[in-house]
């Protein structure tokens, strides 16, 4: 498409995709070439989140003119290309846990208001999530139950053959989901609208004039608006004062568009944040354990200890919603060491492991 393979950038490795960036002539009125990106899912990747739209490009096409600051699209033969947003991610400019300028915070709030205008019956993009994982309009309890069910079936149970021993050693079992349901039930009903569902610092790009762009719409869905806020707060790790500011401005933004969108916020937001902490336990345990396999099949004390620290942190954050006890650091590290040894043995590979505390 570019006429010169040498100008193609990539693959740029993200978690979910390999991305290639292609410079093409600009549209009328654009003097310089414009860079566009095409993406391919990485092979063999475990997916831990629901996908509710058949195509991210189709969704973005349907949102043009309705949501500001999203990538343009062009069709190049059979390939749908997104415009590559030139700039820096919010995470590069303002790392996790740090505050962000009020001008950028205001643009995120504006995005929430625009999302509130996109109701389930107003969008033509094809949806593929099955009825098992859909909830009726405003059934916030049903919506959250389907998120729990997805984590239980598609993350926990589906990966049991490979992680049963590790889950057991960390105190995670079928009863964990029953305890979680008890902790988060009884949500206030709220009208559903479009959710991005993955608004973290790496999915915001700040361009050269300070405009905020929102990318990676793959996890978008229709559902409880408060879930989008909870996910955003959980992933952004705002300082306490700015988190309170975001909550208050979010309430005003969504209420001005669809009254009732923030009903029960004070009572329900802690429950949805508790769900996010619990959900992260299962995904982080699997990802962290698998990352140890990239240590060239040699598990020494240093990466094993670091992995154990990460697991203990996510377990500690979810003790209440999952009804579990925080294992001692040496117990977590030993459990990971045993898992690595068992994986290596099943693959017929010898591993020289140094496991603090024995295994």
């Amino acid at each position: 498409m570019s006429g010169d393979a040498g100008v193609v950038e990539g693959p740029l490795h993200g978690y979910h995709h390999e991305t290639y960036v292609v410079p093409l002539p600009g549209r009328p009125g654009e003097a310089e070439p414009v860079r566009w990106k095409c993406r391919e899912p990485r092979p063999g990747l475990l997916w831990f989140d629901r996908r509710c739209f058949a195509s991210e490009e189709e969704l973005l096409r349907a949102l043009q003119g309705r949501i500001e600051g999203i990538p343009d699209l062009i069709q190049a033969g059979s390939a749908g290309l997104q415009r590559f947003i030139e700039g820096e991610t919010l995470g590069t400019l303002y790392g996790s846990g740090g505050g962000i300028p009020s001008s950028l915070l205001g643009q995120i709030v504006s995005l929430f208001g625009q999302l509130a205008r996109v109701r389930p019956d107003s969008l033509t993009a094809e949806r593929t999530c099955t009825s098992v994982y859909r909830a009726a309009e405003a059934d916030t309890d049903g919506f959250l139950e389907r998120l729990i069910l997805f984590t239980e079936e598609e993350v926990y149970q589906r990966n049991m053959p490979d992680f049963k021993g590790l889950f057991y050693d960390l105190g995670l079992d079928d009863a964990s989901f029953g305890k979680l349901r008890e902790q988060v039930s009884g949500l206030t009903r709220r009208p559903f609208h479009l959710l991005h569902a993955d608004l973290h610092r790496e999915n915001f790009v700040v361009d050269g004039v300070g405009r905020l762009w929102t990318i990676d719409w793959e996890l978008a869905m229709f559902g409880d608006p408060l879930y989008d806020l909870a996910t955003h707060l959980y992933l952004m790790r705002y300082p306490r004062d700015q988190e309170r500011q975001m909550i208050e401005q979010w309430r005003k933004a969504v209420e001005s568009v669809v009254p009732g969108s923030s009903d029960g916020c004070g009572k329900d937001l802690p429950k949805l944040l508790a769900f996010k902490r619990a959900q992260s336990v299962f995904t982080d345990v699997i990802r962290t354990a698998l990352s140890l396999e990239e240590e060239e099949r040699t598990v020494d004390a240093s990466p094993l200890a670091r992995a154990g620290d990460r697991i203990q942190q996510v377990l500690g954050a979810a003790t209440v919603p999952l009804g579990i006890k925080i294992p001692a650091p040496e117990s977590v590290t030993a459990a990971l060491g045993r898992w690595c040894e068992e994986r290596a043995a099943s693959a017929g590979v010898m591993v020289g492991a140094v496991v603090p505390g024995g295994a």
Side-chain angles (χ1 to χ4, degrees):
M1 286 185 282
S2 66
D4 180 3
V7 301
V8 177
E9 299 177 44
L12 309 178
H13 291 280
Y15 181 76
H16 291 113
H17 297 89
E18 287 185 351
T19 300
Y20 292 84
V21 179
V22 184
L24 298 176
R27 290 172 171 171
E30 293 178 318
E32 299 296 326
V34 174
R35 296 200 293 170
W36 301 82
K37 67 179 182 180
C38 58
R39 303 194 299 173
E40 182 76 11
R42 289 175 55 194
L45 188 70
L46 294 173
W47 293 89
F48 296 127
D49 300 285
R50 292 168 58 190
R51 266 124 185 98
C52 289
F53 288 95
S55 162
E56 182 186 11
E57 283 72 29
E58 183 182 346
L59 173 62
L60 287 171
R61 195 170 290 111
L63 293 177
Q64 297 295 321
R66 304 183 69 177
I67 303 291
E68 298 174 356
I70 61 175
D72 293 334
L73 297 116
I74 61 169
Q75 195 68 28
S78 61
L81 305 182
Q82 295 184 33
R83 183 165 184 154
F84 185 82
I85 306 301
E86 308 288 350
E88 300 283 350
T89 67
L90 199 57
T92 299
L93 297 172
Y94 309 98
S96 180
I100 65 173
S102 58
S103 61
L104 297 177
L105 190 78
Q107 291 182 67
I108 297 174
V109 172
S110 177
L111 171 63
F112 280 124
Q114 293 167 42
L115 287 166
R117 295 187 177 93
V118 185
R119 304 298 302 281
D121 59 354
S122 70
L123 200 64
T124 57
E126 179 186 357
R127 296 166 66 186
T128 56
C129 50
T130 66
S131 59
V132 174
Y133 296 112
R134 289 193 192 184
E137 166 72 13
D139 179 11
T140 47
D141 268 331
F143 174 76
L144 184 55
E145 166 57 27
R146 282 152 180 80
L147 293 174
I148 296 172
L149 185 65
F150 185 91
T151 302
E152 184 177 24
E153 293 182 342
E154 301 298 325
V155 181
Y156 172 70
Q157 293 177 0
R158 182 179 290 272
N159 289 286
M160 280 293 279
D162 292 325
F163 294 92
K164 182 177 181 179
L166 181 57
F167 285 149
Y168 178 81
D169 287 344
L170 297 175
L172 302 169
D173 55 26
D174 294 349
S176 301
F177 290 93
K179 295 169 184 175
L180 175 60
R181 288 178 169 95
E182 292 176 3
Q183 291 288 327
V184 301
S185 64
L187 299 179
T188 303
R189 291 176 67 86
R190 286 174 286 272
F192 285 5
H193 65 230
L194 183 65
L195 319 178
H196 180 283
D198 199 25
L199 291 172
H200 58 75
R201 294 176 191 243
E202 296 306 313
N203 281 344
F204 290 117
V205 178
V206 183
D207 68 15
V209 296
R211 184 182 182 188
L212 194 71
W213 297 78
T214 308
I215 61 173
D216 288 357
W217 288 78
E218 282 191 310
L219 303 187
M221 66 179 80
F222 286 106
D224 180 1
L226 192 59
Y227 175 73
D228 220 9
L229 175 65
T231 301
H232 177 64
L233 296 178
Y234 178 75
L235 296 174
M236 288 288 289
R237 304 288 199 270
Y238 286 114
R240 187 66 58 86
D241 288 347
Q242 196 160 57
E243 179 178 287
R244 286 195 291 265
Q245 183 182 1
M246 169 55 75
I247 294 170
E248 185 56 34
Q249 292 191 22
W250 173 86
R251 294 181 71 163
K252 293 178 181 178
V254 297
E255 284 293 331
S256 69
V257 177
V258 183
S261 293
S262 70
D263 285 357
C265 176
K267 173 178 71 72
D268 291 350
L269 184 56
K271 294 181 179 182
L272 292 168
L273 287 169
F275 165 72
K276 296 303 299 183
R277 292 193 295 271
Q279 179 190 44
S280 290
V281 166
F282 299 96
T283 59
D284 287 354
V285 164
I286 294 172
R287 284 174 175 160
T288 301
L290 290 176
S291 73
L292 290 171
E293 291 194 316
E294 300 174 4
E295 300 291 333
E296 298 183 351
R297 291 287 183 180
T298 299
V299 183
D300 62 31
S302 180
L304 201 59
R306 289 196 297 270
D309 288 343
R310 288 197 296 273
I311 296 300
Q312 193 184 37
Q313 288 177 8
V314 297
L315 288 172
T319 54
V320 173
L322 291 177
I324 57 177
K325 296 180 180 179
I326 306 177
E330 59 271 18
S331 298
V332 176
T333 305
L336 284 167
R338 283 192 295 274
W339 181 85
C340 289
E341 292 284 3
E342 291 166 0
R343 291 277 283 190
S346 66
V349 178
M350 294 298 293
V351 176
V354 179
V355 182

